[in-house]
Amino acid sequence: MKFKNLLLVGMPVLFLSITSCSNDDTPVEETPNYTVPETYVFVNASGAATVDFSGQSSRLLMLDEMSAYVKTQATSSLAVDNVKLQSMYTNTNSAFAGAGLNTSGKQLKDKTAASKDYFSLNQGGGSITEQTAVRTYFESTFTDLNSASQGANASAGVAGKYGTGSSTRYFKANGLEPVQVFLKGMMGATFLDQVVNNYLSLNKLDESTNKADNTAKILVTGKSYTAMEHNWDEAYGYVFGATGDKFLSEYITKVNADVDFNTVKNDISLAFRKGRAAIVANDYASRDAQIKIIKEKLALVVAVRSVFYMQTGKAKLVTDNGAAAFHDLSEGYGFIMSLRYTNKPGTNNPYFTKAEVDAMLASMISGTNGLWAIDTLGAKLDAISTQIATKFGFTVAQAATVN
């Protein structure tokens, strides 16, 4: 049920009615004009906030704590408890130390590969079978970490640790660093998938009576926002919902630091603010234009970081065929996984199909010893880098200069 009362227009959004005519006096369609706030703050006429993305913030913090736990164990050369990681993934057994996370009612697993467009509706090559496989794969990284953390020093074909002190990392026998594959893969399979294939999907935003309710400003029962406003806020929360840069927002900032991509952060932030203001103003054409920008720019960030890590890993292979190189290549592996969850505007499909992504991943770890067997000239890595860069219209050299 929803309250059948009207939400007054958010205070940051001011309407100006504009009527114009062409030289032949043919009327031009009237378009609402409204201000877009400088920050992502929206309130109603009573001054009450209408933005809530607490669930998204909780999930960002959950993944962050999982990352910190593995890092702490590795730094001290301690075993990684795969049961603890599994409990953190499903938010069971009070596994978190962060305030409120254990009782938040939120978890990461049920949002992994769970978007309306790619999985619930079986579009874009997705399916429930794939969803199960993705979740099972991520859970297998917990076991991989446990095995590697109790093994000898890592070497070709042998899982174990590599490095000392704060530089200690745990690797599989094929050279992949499970925690990095998990973290970067989760950014795509959970956070990105939820943003571009779920909350910004028209199948979600305009679901049922959402558009009519938003136009009439009919609120979600007991809340200060409409269902459409809340869906948009939840998408925003998966990107910018934590204090400081974490996960997607961290890499948006890193990509933005390069002169070749130095508008991407503002492009994404502004599109989120414009789209939210447009929803308040019932300007659905503008809302949809902002969705296109967000989808394009988030996909670009994933693509650039994929190429970046292929190239930095390649460079490090020359002098360090071990922890430093494999760490970067494992991050790249996770980012390439995330390409499957991008959404190319106008297609409702990823920029790369699942089969294409799987082929790139298989190429990276092909051979008896996986990453240990990659030649220092990096022919495989260059081929993958070129394939990705070409699809997105930038050069390998441009992506390789990102910090």
Side-chain angles (χ1 to χ4, degrees):
M1 289 291 293
K2 298 183 176 72
F3 283 134
K4 298 299 180 180
N5 61 336
L6 302 184
L7 172 66
L8 298 178
V9 174
M11 292 183 67
V13 183
L14 305 177
F15 287 93
L16 298 175
S17 181
I18 300 175
T19 304
S20 60
C21 296
S22 62
N23 291 336
D24 62 0
D25 295 326
T26 301
V28 176
E29 184 176 356
E30 193 171 280
T31 303
N33 187 21
Y34 42 86
T35 62
V36 176
E38 294 294 324
T39 58
Y40 199 86
V41 175
F42 294 87
V43 298
N44 62 21
S46 300
T50 63
V51 175
D52 177 17
F53 45 74
S54 57
Q56 288 63 43
S57 297
S58 291
R59 292 187 181 92
L60 291 174
L61 293 174
M62 287 174 179
L63 191 61
D64 193 49
E65 190 170 326
M66 293 178 77
S67 173
Y69 166 69
V70 174
K71 183 176 181 179
T72 297
Q73 297 303 101
T75 297
S76 303
S77 292
L78 297 174
V80 173
D81 185 346
N82 56 301
V83 175
K84 178 180 176 67
L85 287 175
Q86 180 65 38
S87 295
M88 296 171 92
Y89 188 46
T90 55
N91 194 9
T92 52
N93 302 316
S94 299
F96 291 105
L101 294 183
N102 293 321
T103 57
S104 66
K106 308 298 180 183
Q107 61 168 273
L108 288 165
K109 182 175 180 177
D110 66 2
K111 293 299 182 182
T112 301
S115 64
K116 182 173 279 289
D117 279 2
Y118 280 11
F119 297 96
S120 297
L121 296 183
N122 194 22
Q123 295 182 23
S127 68
I128 300 303
T129 300
E130 182 187 353
Q131 178 188 86
T132 300
V134 170
R135 295 176 181 182
T136 299
Y137 176 80
F138 284 138
E139 290 170 321
S140 75
T141 65
F142 308 152
T143 303
D144 291 336
L145 280 165
N146 175 262
S147 298
S149 67
Q150 299 185 72
N153 290 335
S155 60
V158 178
K161 69 177 182 178
Y162 201 106
T164 59
S166 61
S167 297
T168 303
R169 300 184 183 282
Y170 296 135
F171 294 93
K172 291 177 62 175
N174 65 3
L176 283 176
E177 185 181 357
V179 68
Q180 291 305 319
V181 174
F182 173 70
L183 294 173
K184 274 55 180 186
M186 282 288 290
M187 280 197 291
T190 302
F191 302 155
L192 181 64
D193 185 50
Q194 284 294 300
V195 174
V196 300
N197 306 316
N198 195 58
Y199 288 115
L200 296 188
S201 163
L202 297 188
N203 289 312
K204 181 74 170 179
L205 284 171
D206 295 343
E207 186 176 23
S208 186
T209 61
N210 281 3
K211 182 176 280 189
D213 289 348
N214 185 75
T215 300
K217 302 308 169 199
I218 298 174
L219 308 181
V220 174
T221 301
K223 304 297 182 180
S224 61
Y225 45 70
T226 69
M228 186 184 294
E229 289 172 337
H230 189 49
N231 285 336
W232 191 274
D233 295 339
E234 290 183 294
Y236 177 87
Y238 274 119
V239 182
F240 298 114
T243 301
D245 284 336
K246 292 189 186 301
F247 303 111
L248 285 174
S249 66
E250 175 185 354
Y251 292 100
I252 290 170
T253 298
K254 287 181 181 293
V255 171
N256 195 79
D258 186 270
V259 66
D260 295 304
F261 310 101
N262 63 2
T263 67
V264 69
K265 187 171 186 176
N266 184 64
D267 291 341
I268 294 171
S269 174
L270 182 59
F272 268 116
R273 286 179 282 121
K274 279 187 175 181
R276 183 57 156 80
I279 289 173
V280 176
N282 302 332
D283 182 1
Y284 302 115
S286 180
R287 177 202 69 175
D288 294 350
Q290 306 317 307
I291 292 173
K292 178 177 182 291
I293 292 170
I294 294 168
K295 287 182 175 182
E296 288 176 342
K297 299 301 180 179
L298 286 178
L300 176 65
V301 168
V302 173
V304 170
R305 292 310 288 188
S306 297
V307 174
F308 170 79
Y309 284 119
M310 293 297 97
Q311 293 303 303
T312 56
K314 171 190 168 183
K316 291 175 182 178
L317 284 171
V318 177
T319 57
D320 178 15
N321 190 25
F326 293 170
H327 172 72
D328 283 3
L329 293 177
S330 297
E331 290 191 270
Y333 190 95
F335 269 104
I336 292 171
M337 288 173 60
S338 294
L339 289 171
R340 187 268 175 274
Y341 305 95
T342 59
N343 191 309
K344 186 176 182 180
T347 70
N348 209 29
N349 285 294
Y351 283 79
F352 287 100
T353 65
K354 180 182 183 299
E356 290 173 321
V357 168
D358 288 347
M360 287 188 276
L361 297 176
S363 175
M364 282 187 68
I365 58 173
S366 61
T368 303
N369 293 318
L371 296 182
W372 291 96
I374 288 183
D375 66 278
T376 56
L377 295 178
K380 291 180 182 179
L381 304 177
D382 283 344
I384 294 170
S385 297
T386 300
Q387 183 180 358
I388 296 171
T390 300
K391 175 79 74 172
F392 282 85
F394 59 81
T395 68
V396 172
Q398 285 175 313
T401 60
V402 175
N403 293 326

